[in-house]
């Protein structure tokens, strides 16, 4: 973070767009300020493309005047119902709003809005670090207005609300999610009184739509260290409301002196490992992984709560937790308004398959097992292997080293198969249509049985994937089923 004087801020804002906004506001005799994230990010020395401007008066009128000054190259959008306007010019977007005061009813996030002063507008902001404003009028260009000491909170790494936090969160409960999201993204601490309000008012999040919660959750998941956000969500009680399946993992049961690990904190460790894994398609070193692979990491063990059993001879078991967890994924995506298409199916597939590479690596790495894994995972095999390697969180370094070495062998066999055009290699050259033609069968269970028999033979490398040996195998199996080839 870097501190700037008003003179230095004026130099930073010495850009055509800000001087043009300044001129437009001065022509109309209105006070005008750049506010919010753009101001915060100046001090954090972070790039920001979102320019939000507050006008004491009509923000729309200043936007219209700016458009008139910029001419045809600028595009103006006016949203009268919200009292806002947007001006797009080259690669720059500026949002204008009139300063306002807001009041809320208990059961709604829709405020009653009235015209207000700059102070009123800053009072309604979510956090002190987002409530700072810099004047754009020529007579005060670059002057910082910081009534809540947001600059000091930035310097101390603190997330706090401008007003009493209970008021801020009650007015707009989504701010509770934003509070944790900003703390996660910026690696800040939530001020004590503010966190106590999160705990006290967590239940208010129920009036917020799944779509709005999804946006904040995704930003937490895609931050550099997402586990910090999920710890705060759990500590505050918010996670138990928005994602109870994950919150339920935060328990350790003990029986006969034997305890299982805390699967909640294990999950967060896996999520961290995935987020730290380089992804060449996203820029390589330090780029982390895609949103949906991170979701798969977050949900990979959610089936453990339902599958947990105590077996005296073994201890705690979680048999089929991958299968159970995969069945839970669609309901979670539906509730949080996450996409139900390819993204959901991808997450579901990885949750379902995440134990398979571990089972292979736990014993002899056979060609047959690797072939089957590649057949089932398909194009998502590399992401599945990334998730499974991230899932190795054992503190036993010898065991961890053994697993990683076996995973290396799995990857080598996978790479060898992929070089040989695995899709053609693993798909029998005799397909279902030919089987129906050979035996004059309609689509039926018998056709499915024969197809699977050939598929298994190819995957287990019992025969070469060529017509002659597969045909001999097919005829043998068909005969055992009482089927005869019909000759034309």
């Amino acid at each position: 973070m870097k501190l700037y004087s008003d003179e230095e801020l004026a130099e930073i804002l010495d850009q055509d767009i800000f001087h043009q906004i300044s001129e437009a506001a001065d022509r109309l005799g209105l006070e005008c300020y750049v506010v919010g994230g753009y101001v915060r990010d100046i001090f954090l020395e972070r790039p920001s493309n979102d320019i939000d401007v507050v006008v004491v008066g009509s923000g729309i009128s200043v936007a219209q005047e700016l458009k008139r000054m910029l001419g045809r190259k600028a595009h103006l959008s006016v949203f009268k119902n919200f009292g806002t306007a947007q001006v797009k010019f080259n690669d720059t977007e500026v949002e204008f709003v009139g300063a306002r005061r807001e009041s809320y009813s208990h059961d709604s996030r829709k405020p009653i809005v009235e015209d207000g002063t700059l102070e009123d507008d800053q009072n309604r902001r979510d956090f002190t670090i987002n409530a700072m404003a810099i004047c754009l009028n020529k007579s005060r260009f670059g002057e910082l207005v910081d009534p809540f000491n947001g600059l000091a909170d930035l310097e101390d790494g603190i997330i706090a609300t401008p007003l009493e936090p209970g008021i801020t969160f009650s007015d707009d409960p989504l701010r509770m999610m934003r509070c944790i999201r900003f703390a996660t993204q910026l690696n800040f601490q939530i001020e004590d009184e503010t966190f106590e309000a999160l705990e006290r008012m967590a239940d208010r999040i129920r009036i917020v739509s799944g779509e709005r919660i999804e946006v904040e959750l995704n930003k937490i998941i895609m931050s550099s260290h997402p586990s910090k956000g999920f710890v705060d969500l759990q500590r505050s009680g918010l996670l138990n409301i928005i994602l109870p399946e994950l919150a339920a993992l935060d328990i350790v049961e003990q029986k006969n002196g034997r305890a299982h690990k805390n699967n909640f904190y294990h999950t967060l460790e896996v999520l961290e490992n995935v987020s730290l894994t380089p992804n060449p398609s996203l820029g390589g070193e330090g780029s982390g992984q895609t949103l949906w692979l991170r979701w798969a990491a977050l949900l990979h063990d959610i089936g453990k709560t339902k599958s947990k059993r105590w077996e005296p001879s073994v201890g705690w078991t979680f048999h089929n937790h991958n299968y159970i967890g995969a069945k839970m994924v669609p309901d979670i995506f539906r509730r949080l308004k996450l996409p139900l298409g390819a993204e959901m199916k991808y997450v579901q597939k990885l949750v379902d398959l995440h134990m398979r590479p571990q089972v292979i690596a736990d014993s002899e790495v056979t060609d047959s097992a690797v072939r089957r894994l590649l057949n089932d995972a398909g194009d998502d095999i590399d992401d599945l292997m990334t998730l499974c390697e991230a899932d190795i969180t054992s503190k036993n370094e010898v065991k961890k080293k053994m697993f990683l070495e076996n995973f290396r062998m799995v990857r080598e066999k996978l790479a060898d198969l992929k070089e040989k055009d695995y899709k053609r290699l693993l798909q029998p050259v005799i397909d279902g249509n030919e089987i129906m033609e050979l035996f004059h069968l309609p689509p039926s269970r018998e056709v499915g049985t024969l197809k699977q028999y050939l598929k298994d033979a190819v995957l287990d490398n019992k025969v070469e994937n060529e017509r002659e040996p597969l045909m001999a195998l097919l005829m043998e199996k068909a005969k055992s089923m009482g089927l005869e080839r019909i000759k034309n």
Side-chain angles (χ1 to χ4, degrees):
M1 177 185 166
K2 190 169 182 180
L3 298 176
Y4 297 101
S5 66
D6 289 353
E7 291 76 16
E8 289 170 322
L9 290 175
E11 289 181 18
I12 291 169
L13 296 180
D14 187 16
Q15 303 171 40
D16 287 345
I17 188 64
F18 290 114
H19 287 299
Q20 288 159 338
I21 295 169
S22 174
E23 185 179 344
D26 282 346
R27 284 184 182 183
L28 298 174
L30 297 173
E31 288 181 47
C32 186
Y33 303 83
V34 59
V35 297
Y38 194 91
V39 177
R40 178 196 68 226
D41 288 341
I42 287 175
F43 293 100
L44 291 176
E45 299 181 275
R46 300 197 321 171
S48 181
N49 298 319
D50 298 326
I51 302 176
D52 291 319
V53 172
V54 164
V55 177
V56 182
S58 172
I60 292 175
S61 65
V62 175
Q64 290 170 331
E65 178 65 17
L66 178 64
K67 162 68 171 91
R68 191 191 64 76
M69 290 167 54
L70 295 175
R72 292 182 179 178
K73 292 182 179 179
H75 176 75
L76 170 68
S77 300
V78 175
F79 310 96
K80 287 187 177 179
N81 289 345
F82 299 97
T84 64
Q86 180 190 74
V87 175
K88 291 184 180 181
F89 181 66
N90 295 332
D91 295 328
T92 302
E93 292 184 11
V94 186
E95 299 279 349
F96 290 86
V97 65
R100 61 195 187 190
R101 65 167 64 95
E102 296 177 346
S103 58
Y104 293 78
S105 63
H106 180 74
D107 59 351
S108 174
R109 289 185 59 243
K110 294 182 179 179
I112 300 168
V113 179
E114 303 172 275
D115 291 342
T117 63
L118 175 65
E119 182 181 4
D120 291 327
D121 201 86
Q122 289 176 301
N123 284 341
R124 73 177 183 84
R125 298 279 161 175
D126 50 9
F127 308 109
T128 60
I129 62 172
N130 294 333
M132 296 181 288
I134 300 175
C135 188
L136 294 180
N137 295 99
K138 186 174 182 180
S139 61
R140 297 167 53 208
F141 193 84
E143 179 185 313
L144 178 67
V145 183
D146 181 19
F148 304 110
N149 294 316
L151 202 52
D153 286 345
L154 265 186
E155 201 169 8
D156 294 337
I158 295 292
I159 302 293
T161 57
L163 305 178
E164 194 276 315
I167 297 173
T168 298
F169 294 150
S170 180
D171 283 351
D172 185 353
L174 184 65
R175 289 170 176 166
M176 294 189 287
M177 293 293 299
R178 287 170 56 82
C179 176
I180 291 174
R181 188 253 292 182
F182 278 119
T184 306
Q185 288 180 324
L186 301 175
N187 195 25
F188 279 18
Q189 295 301 311
I190 300 171
E191 181 256 345
D192 289 345
E193 188 181 351
T194 301
F195 196 87
E196 287 167 8
L198 287 178
E199 295 175 291
R200 189 171 66 251
M201 307 193 67
D203 203 59
R204 283 279 284 157
I205 201 67
R206 296 184 191 277
I207 71 168
V208 180
S209 69
E211 291 92 342
R212 302 299 298 276
I213 291 173
E214 172 212 341
V215 169
E216 298 302 325
L217 266 182
N218 285 344
K219 288 179 179 179
I220 291 171
I221 289 173
M222 287 305 292
S223 62
S224 298
H225 293 287
S227 63
K228 173 179 167 54
F230 283 96
V231 168
D232 283 344
L233 286 170
Q234 178 72 333
R235 288 172 53 229
S236 65
L238 285 164
L239 192 64
N240 193 49
I241 298 170
I242 62 176
L243 197 46
E245 299 88 346
L246 181 61
L249 296 176
D250 189 9
I251 187 173
V252 175
E253 287 192 66
Q254 188 167 340
K255 198 163 187 176
N256 292 349
R258 299 170 75 174
H260 60 79
K261 65 187 173 186
N262 185 307
N263 288 304
F264 175 72
Y265 286 98
H266 162 73
T267 294
L268 297 190
E269 194 172 348
V270 176
L271 178 60
E272 282 290 311
N273 289 343
V274 164
S275 70
L276 294 172
T277 305
N279 185 330
S281 67
L282 294 179
E285 190 66 33
S287 60
Q289 293 290 332
T290 64
L291 172 64
W292 303 113
L293 180 52
R294 293 189 187 203
W295 264 106
L298 191 69
L299 300 182
H300 81 283
D301 272 351
I302 53 167
K304 282 191 169 180
T305 303
K306 292 184 177 181
S307 65
K308 183 166 63 175
R309 299 288 184 272
W310 170 258
E311 297 180 10
S313 61
V314 181
W316 293 104
T317 65
F318 303 92
H319 297 313
N320 293 323
H321 75 272
N322 54 310
Y323 173 77
I324 293 170
K327 290 285 189 182
M328 296 165 67
V329 168
D331 284 342
I332 291 171
F333 268 55
R334 198 171 291 112
R335 187 178 69 241
L336 292 174
K337 309 301 182 186
L338 290 159
L340 299 176
E343 298 89 347
M344 185 272 286
K345 291 176 182 176
Y346 164 90
V347 172
Q348 192 173 28
K349 179 202 281 190
L350 263 58
V351 171
D352 189 21
L353 295 178
H354 83 270
M355 293 298 294
R356 286 275 294 282
Q358 289 192 28
V359 172
I360 295 173
D362 212 6
S363 55
E364 184 183 353
V365 181
T366 65
D367 287 344
S368 173
V370 173
R371 279 169 172 253
R372 286 183 173 276
L373 176 65
L374 184 52
N375 176 73
D376 293 343
D379 292 337
D380 299 318
I381 185 64
D382 290 332
D383 286 355
L384 177 62
M385 292 301 296
T386 296
L387 173 60
C388 292
E389 287 168 351
D391 199 15
I392 303 171
T393 61
S394 173
K395 300 301 182 282
N396 183 327
E397 290 301 321
V398 174
K399 187 177 179 182
K400 188 173 182 179
K401 186 176 180 181
M402 179 193 74
F403 267 110
L404 289 173
E405 175 60 22
N406 284 354
F407 275 147
R408 184 189 62 77
M409 293 168 60
V410 173
R411 279 192 180 275
E412 284 182 359
K413 287 182 180 289
L414 287 169
D416 184 53
L417 273 174
K418 283 196 276 189
E419 278 183 13
K420 297 175 181 176
D421 185 12
Y422 78 91
K423 289 183 179 178
R424 181 190 59 78
L425 195 67
L426 301 182
Q427 191 62 43
V429 295
I430 299 174
D431 63 15
N433 290 329
E434 187 171 356
I435 291 171
M436 287 190 287
E437 187 178 330
L438 285 169
F439 299 100
H440 282 200
L441 291 171
S444 59
R445 181 180 296 178
E446 286 87 353
V447 175
T449 298
L450 291 171
K451 277 180 61 180
Q452 191 59 49
Y453 185 73
L454 295 184
K455 182 92 171 183
D456 289 341
V458 169
L459 291 175
D460 292 335
N461 207 19
K462 289 180 179 177
V463 294
E464 291 296 320
N465 190 8
E466 297 173 356
R467 285 194 61 79
E468 190 173 333
L470 277 180
M471 188 63 76
L473 206 61
L474 174 64
M475 292 305 160
E476 182 184 330
K477 179 64 175 176
K479 185 177 180 180
S480 73
M481 294 170 62
L483 298 174
E484 291 188 14
R485 179 177 180 178
I486 307 298
K487 295 182 179 180
N488 293 325

